[in-house]
Amino acid sequence: MPYTTYLVEKGASHSFVAEAKPPTVTMPRIKALVTGSLPGFVDVIRNLNSPALLEDNVITQAKAAGKRMIFYGDDTWVKLFPKHFVEYDGTTSFFVSDYTEVDDNVTRHLDKVLKRGDWDVLILHYLGLDHIGHTSGPRSPLIGRKLSEMDGVLVKIHTALLAEERETLLPNLLVLCADHGMSETGGHGASSTEEVNTPLVFISSAFERKPGDIRYPKHVQQTDLAATLAVGLGLPIPKHSVGSLLFPIVEGKAMREQLRFLHLNAVQLSRLLQENVPSFKKEPGFQQFKVSERLHANWIRLYLEDSNSEVLVSLGTKVRRQYLDALRTLSLSLSRQVAHYDAYSMAVGTVVVLEVLVLLLLSIPQALSNKAELDVPLSSPVFSLLFYLTSLVLLALHVMVCTSAGRSCYFCSLSWLTAGAVMLLISALLCVVASALTKMFLDGKLLRKSPACSGSGWSELELLILLGTMGHVVSLGASSFIEEEHQTWYFLVNTLCLALCHQVYKNYFPGPDGGPQCHPYIADGCDCAAAALQGRKPAWDGAELGGIHESPASLATHPGNEKWVVLASPWLILACCRLLRPLNQTGVQWAHRPDLGHWLTSSDHKAELSVLAALSLVVLFALVQRRCSRASKIAMALGLLGVYCYRAALGNVLLPWRQGSKDISKGIVEARFVYVFVLGILFTGTRDLLKSQVTVADPAVRAAGLWELHSGLVLLAALLLRPHNLPVLALGLLIQMVMAKFIWKPLRHDAAEVTIMHYWFGQAFFYFQGNSNNVATVDVSAGFVGLGTYVEVPAVFLTAFATYTGPVLWASHLVNFLSSESSSGSALRRACFCYALICSLPVSAYLILVTTLRYHLFIWSVFSPKLLYEGMHLLITAAVCVFFTAMDQTNTKP
């Protein structure tokens, strides 16, 4: 950007590095630019469909002052300000595959609008640079060309403004800024230096600059822009702005005007402080402001007496310095304390979450029993009386809080019918918990293992699973453990593999008495495990997964070398996990370091990436096709071939018959070709499931249908994942096959253990993909694979599926494994309960933690994104559990 560089270094301009606060996504950052306030993290979700901005802001003030405003660009502005622009043309901001037309649609208006004189404010929001970052990353060669294009746009605008100034003799102002930066991978949303540092350049002939005047960019806050624009346009400063006036912009004005501008800003900040801090008089910023006002009054008296004395200049400089110190202190104090929290609504939500969590924990003994049912009697008059009394107390409390609330409250804004229903729900849950506790203590059934295992102690594997799951939940209270959570899951799955290895070896190698070294927990299963390891097919058909011990039928003999495969399987899984770790650096501390993924995606190693992607697709086909029908095998093969062609169309991988990058396209045709086979496989699986429930009650048909659904999800994942992540998918399926065939079957783990192992591996593969607890690692481009325009529902679904591919595929495999190995319907219900419980634990704990730590330094950058990720994971898991449990109901015996 040579012209921009010249203006910054030698032209009539002032340049700054503006720091944006997380979340660094578009809508919250636009709000910060025009309101000067700090948006909440919930705006990350509202960013998908921005509501009209009702908070006081510069745009609304300008419209009230009669300013004629024109806008072209990101349609987020049109949604935030639906009736403010006299002319606008919005472009879709979420279609990240387009980085050409989205900017051309803005630039095409410039020639006409710059020649017109019927506007006061022109806002242009270009999206191409952001879209290139999402699709190709910051090191893409497209970045340089796009920056050059933007430099040309700046030349066109600045030249037109200078030509107009020669006629009107009035200076114009051109502001060049960004809403957010870009991470090392091209995303944004988190708090890394690259994401929060943005350019802010003010260009105007009013800024005099002498030759040789070197100005180094100062670091300021992004919220300072609102106050500066308001002062420059002669508008009131937005009342909730926490920003301070950028003094270099008004430095060329007379001393009297400088002090007046600073006083206006200080008064606005001091009023905001009074509204939010009860003890505002003790705040250093407020005290500095009062001192500044007194000095300013003295300066005005002196100015009226003698406007040219040296004492006046000296006192004016002192007053100005005092104002600047006060503004800096007030702004810093408000940035820390101005966050508004709806404590009453948060308390109500926390109580509901706690009650549900306690009920889940109390229901473990019954839910994990053979029946997998929960019976909570509520007919007792005691609980009826408790319900009525609690409901009356809560309703009275609600009336008291809402009638005395001095600030707006979301829960109080709901209708009385809705609020009453919530209070009745809280009362009912309280009675359910009390009933369950009473029954537990009366029957003497405290939390313990299921009846099938009641006579045995805890095995080492069970202790590891319990302590690992609970330890992970506890670790979420530390911000460092959240930032580097992938290390926790890598450690847990590696330790799990070693524990399984110990269990396999202990059941294979003879003990002192010449028999297997059986633990009491698996005493009944030692014969089965030993039989498998000795080269015989285990006499077990999976019924134990449902908690029912039945007499197994005799099975065929296994090959003699299978015992060595069983012994080596834990080490094979360990090797696969170790190979996946260097593929994607994630977390915070080491995310910037080069990894194998960066090496593969560089233009110099496209051949290596092509070979690796092709091999991964072949492995995927080999692992998936073994249980598919003939039609699904053909569809899978063609679909995987289409996946490679799609990546070749984008230029990610090479095709032998194509040289160079002349034929690179968006790959829409190739992606839709794959979607046809994905839908075909999913349709086949759904047909088999319905057939097994309606016409033929055959478990084999049902298992085949579930595997077809799993295969369709695998093909969809292969299409959406980046090509360097295809080995993650292939090795994930390999680990699933090894675990199912050589570990879970021979060792006869019950449904709860198998479920928690699937959860652990699903979490680990979430991070193997390169994900983290930063919003910036979400691959937004996956939501637009095969789409020619932005369509909200498919885009959101595809983005969510691509992000949670690991957990979803492991949950799908869990259902397939239990359905194929267990003849009892209770096994799947137990698994769904366990999966929902272990997903609910971190969400419940985190809701309480975030409520407690809402004033923590890292509440927006660390804790809130983690809560968002866990909440989405729980929603997806709940959907999977409800779907497959519903599929299971028809096949369950009375």
Side-chain angles (χ1 to χ4, degrees):
M1 303 183 73
Y3 189 75
T4 307
T5 303
Y6 168 79
L7 291 177
V8 169
E9 294 180 350
K10 300 179 181 179
S13 66
H14 290 287
S15 57
F16 307 90
V17 177
E19 180 184 346
K21 299 295 184 184
T24 49
V25 292
T26 299
M27 195 271 278
R29 293 301 94 220
I30 293 177
K31 287 178 64 175
L33 287 169
V34 298
T35 66
S37 61
L38 300 175
F41 203 85
V42 71
D43 286 328
V44 172
I45 301 174
R46 293 176 179 168
N47 184 61
L48 299 174
N49 189 13
S50 306
L53 182 60
L54 303 179
E55 188 177 351
D56 189 19
N57 60 83
V58 174
I59 303 297
T60 302
Q61 294 285 3
K63 183 177 184 297
K67 304 288 184 182
R68 296 163 298 176
M69 294 176 289
I70 296 177
F71 171 79
Y72 305 119
D74 187 344
D75 61 356
T76 305
W77 287 81
V78 181
K79 296 176 182 178
L80 289 172
F81 309 104
K83 299 179 180 179
H84 292 66
F85 303 113
V86 296
E87 181 182 322
Y88 63 86
D89 184 11
T91 56
T92 302
S93 59
F94 292 106
F95 188 52
V96 297
S97 299
D98 174 28
Y99 51 82
T100 304
E101 294 180 10
V102 73
D103 286 347
D104 292 343
N105 287 335
V106 178
T107 306
R108 65 189 175 95
H109 297 283
L110 283 181
D111 290 333
K112 293 182 179 179
V113 77
L114 290 174
K115 295 177 181 178
R116 292 157 41 187
D118 59 346
W119 54 270
D120 301 300
V121 179
L122 173 64
I123 303 174
L124 309 174
H125 189 144
Y126 282 89
L127 290 163
L129 192 65
D130 175 72
H131 289 185
I132 292 174
H134 281 297
T135 56
S136 305
R139 297 179 182 85
S140 170
L142 298 172
I143 292 286
R145 294 198 288 270
K146 180 57 68 173
L147 289 175
S148 178
E149 177 188 338
M150 293 297 100
D151 196 51
V153 170
L154 192 72
V155 171
K156 180 181 293 187
I157 297 173
H158 193 222
T159 303
L161 293 179
L162 291 177
E164 182 184 350
E165 288 179 5
R166 285 193 288 268
E167 299 177 2
T168 62
L169 302 179
L170 293 174
N172 292 301
L173 174 63
L174 174 60
V175 181
L176 174 66
C177 62
D179 49 353
H180 53 74
M182 186 184 299
S183 68
E184 288 289 328
T185 59
H188 56 87
S191 57
S192 66
T193 303
E194 295 80 7
E195 293 168 82
V196 300
N197 283 346
T198 64
L200 179 58
V201 184
F202 292 81
I203 304 168
S204 175
S205 56
F207 304 145
E208 298 180 357
R209 192 165 189 173
K210 300 177 181 178
D213 182 8
I214 300 176
R215 300 173 180 174
Y216 297 100
K218 298 179 180 178
H219 282 258
V220 297
Q221 296 298 315
Q222 196 179 59
T223 51
D224 296 338
L225 178 62
T228 305
L229 287 179
V231 169
L233 294 173
L235 304 173
I237 299 174
K239 61 177 63 176
H240 294 115
S241 170
V242 299
S244 57
L245 174 67
L246 297 176
F247 182 72
I249 305 300
V250 298
E251 197 171 12
K253 298 291 184 179
M255 180 65 73
R256 182 179 181 180
E257 290 188 75
Q258 293 181 24
L259 297 182
R260 184 172 66 89
F261 293 150
L262 294 172
H263 180 254
L264 288 173
N265 195 187
V267 168
Q268 177 263 324
L269 291 178
S270 65
R271 288 177 179 173
L272 187 61
L273 186 71
Q274 294 178 41
E275 295 175 1
N276 291 275
V277 182
S279 57
F280 64 91
K281 292 183 179 180
K282 298 180 181 180
E283 290 289 328
F286 186 80
Q287 295 174 356
Q288 290 177 332
F289 163 65
K290 287 301 182 181
V291 173
S292 304
E293 271 196 326
R294 289 194 294 269
L295 291 175
H296 193 183
N298 295 335
W299 183 89
I300 291 176
R301 283 194 294 269
L302 187 60
Y303 175 81
L304 295 175
E305 296 173 1
D306 185 3
S307 59
N308 295 315
S309 67
E310 295 182 1
V311 177
L312 183 67
V313 176
S314 176
L315 181 58
T317 304
K318 182 179 180 180
V319 176
R320 184 177 61 191
R321 185 170 58 251
Q322 185 70 27
Y323 266 131
L324 290 173
D325 291 341
L327 288 175
R328 192 179 304 108
T329 307
L330 284 170
S331 179
L332 182 61
S333 177
L334 285 168
S335 298
R336 293 174 177 173
Q337 303 183 35
V338 78
H340 297 287
Y341 293 104
D342 188 352
Y344 178 54
S345 301
M346 295 171 72
V348 173
T350 303
V351 170
V352 175
V353 170
L354 277 175
E355 289 180 332
V356 173
L357 178 62
V358 171
L359 184 60
L360 280 173
L361 294 175
L362 291 176
S363 62
I364 288 177
Q366 295 182 60
L368 296 187
S369 64
N370 297 344
K371 294 182 179 180
E373 295 175 352
L374 178 62
D375 181 22
V376 181
L378 291 175
S379 58
S380 171
V382 175
F383 297 116
S384 299
L385 179 61
L386 177 64
F387 172 76
Y388 292 129
L389 290 177
T390 307
S391 300
L392 288 174
V393 171
L394 291 178
L395 288 172
L397 179 64
H398 179 70
V399 173
M400 291 174 57
V401 172
C402 293
T403 53
S404 62
R407 187 178 294 165
S408 61
C409 171
Y410 171 76
F411 191 55
C412 292
S413 66
L414 298 177
S415 66
W416 286 102
L417 183 62
T418 306
V422 174
M423 293 305 176
L424 293 178
L425 174 64
I426 294 176
S427 303
L429 287 173
L430 179 63
C431 292
V432 171
V433 171
S435 177
L437 282 172
T438 304
K439 182 180 179 182
M440 174 181 292
F441 284 108
L442 289 177
D443 297 345
K445 295 180 180 179
L446 296 176
L447 182 61
R448 62 187 183 189
K449 294 172 61 178
S450 61
C453 304
S454 58
S456 60
W458 291 84
S459 71
E460 295 150 354
L461 183 64
E462 288 176 325
L463 288 174
L464 170 64
I465 289 175
L466 176 64
L467 295 177
T469 303
M470 298 306 298
H472 165 255
V473 174
V474 173
S475 72
L476 297 180
S479 60
S480 298
F481 276 89
I482 297 173
E483 292 175 341
E484 309 300 327
E485 188 182 357
H486 61 287
Q487 302 285 6
T488 301
W489 287 114
Y490 295 167
F491 171 79
L492 287 178
V493 295
N494 289 344
T495 308
L496 176 63
C497 290
L498 293 176
L500 291 172
C501 180
H502 176 254
Q503 194 177 57
V504 168
Y505 280 44
K506 189 164 68 170
N507 284 279
Y508 173 70
F509 292 109
D513 57 350
Q517 304 179 43
C518 294
H519 192 279
Y521 153 69
I522 50 173
D524 296 335
C526 286
D527 294 337
C528 173
L533 292 167
Q534 297 291 345
R536 304 193 308 275
K537 183 80 174 182
W540 171 65
D541 65 350
E544 286 78 1
L545 285 168
I548 302 174
H549 295 270
E550 299 176 355
S551 300
S554 60
L555 300 174
T557 306
H558 276 188
N561 59 357
E562 183 169 334
K563 62 181 179 181
W564 301 111
V565 179
V566 175
L567 292 173
S569 57
W571 300 104
L572 176 61
I573 297 170
L574 273 173
C576 291
C577 292
R578 190 63 189 90
L579 287 173
L580 292 175
R581 287 183 64 173
L583 190 61
N584 293 295
Q585 288 283 3
T586 185
V588 174
Q589 299 296 331
W590 298 280
H592 63 281
R593 299 182 66 178
D595 51 36
L596 187 57
H598 284 98
W599 185 83
L600 287 170
T601 52
S602 64
S603 57
D604 298 333
H605 304 100
K606 190 174 290 188
E608 290 86 346
L609 178 61
S610 303
V611 173
L612 184 62
L615 288 176
S616 300
L617 294 174
V618 171
V619 172
L620 285 177
F621 177 75
L623 292 171
V624 173
Q625 59 83 31
R626 51 198 173 91
R627 291 173 56 187
C628 291
S629 62
R630 179 177 299 179
S632 295
K633 288 180 182 180
I634 297 174
M636 178 64 66
L638 293 176
L640 292 175
L641 180 62
V643 169
Y644 191 89
C645 293
Y646 167 71
R647 289 299 170 185
L650 295 182
N652 301 134
V653 297
L654 300 174
L655 284 175
W657 58 84
R658 184 167 65 185
Q659 302 295 330
S661 58
K662 295 181 180 179
D663 299 329
I664 290 178
S665 66
K666 295 181 180 180
I668 294 178
V669 175
E670 292 83 353
R672 291 178 178 176
F673 175 78
V674 179
Y675 282 138
V676 171
F677 294 110
V678 171
L679 294 176
I681 296 174
L682 293 178
F683 172 78
T684 303
T686 305
R687 183 198 61 190
D688 290 343
L689 276 179
L690 295 176
K691 182 180 179 181
S692 68
Q693 294 194 17
V694 178
T695 58
V696 182
D698 187 358
V701 176
R702 177 168 170 267
L706 289 172
W707 186 258
E708 298 279 2
L709 291 178
H710 182 67
S711 304
L713 294 179
V714 170
L715 181 57
L716 179 60
L719 175 65
L720 299 181
L721 292 181
R722 300 288 179 111
H724 74 277
N725 271 334
L726 288 175
V728 178
L729 187 58
L731 291 181
L733 295 183
L734 177 63
I735 291 174
Q736 290 176 356
M737 186 270 290
V738 172
M739 292 284 286
K741 188 174 183 180
F742 301 112
I743 292 182
W744 291 324
K745 286 184 181 180
L747 295 181
R748 301 173 70 185
H749 294 107
D750 65 14
E753 291 177 341
V754 172
T755 300
I756 297 176
M757 291 185 209
H758 274 84
Y759 174 78
W760 280 22
F761 275 99
Q763 291 293 91
F765 272 83
F766 174 81
Y767 294 102
F768 283 143
Q769 292 176 225
N771 292 320
S772 72
N773 289 321
N774 284 339
V775 182
T777 54
V778 176
D779 185 8
V780 181
S781 63
F784 304 94
V785 173
L787 299 182
T789 58
Y790 174 65
V791 185
E792 185 173 354
V793 175
V796 172
F797 169 77
L798 294 175
T799 303
F801 179 80
T803 303
Y804 292 94
T805 293
V808 168
L809 290 184
W810 277 90
S812 173
H813 183 267
L814 170 66
V815 174
N816 275 275
F817 176 74
L818 294 180
S819 299
S820 62
E821 300 301 327
S822 176
S823 59
S824 171
S826 63
L828 188 56
R829 294 198 299 274
R830 294 174 64 197
C832 289
F833 174 84
C834 290
Y835 211 92
L837 176 63
I838 56 180
C839 288
S840 301
L841 282 174
V843 175
S844 305
Y846 228 72
L847 279 170
I848 301 168
L849 183 67
V850 169
T851 303
T852 307
L853 301 178
R854 58 186 180 274
Y855 294 109
H856 194 279
L857 179 62
F858 300 130
I859 185 64
W860 299 121
S861 59
V862 178
F863 293 104
S864 294
K866 177 59 181 173
L867 178 60
L868 180 63
Y869 272 112
E870 290 292 347
M872 287 295 298
H873 187 200
L874 178 60
L875 287 176
I876 294 172
T877 303
V880 173
C881 289
V882 169
F883 173 76
F884 285 111
T885 303
M887 291 291 101
D888 181 62
Q889 292 302 317
T890 309
N891 294 277
T892 303
K893 297 179 180 180

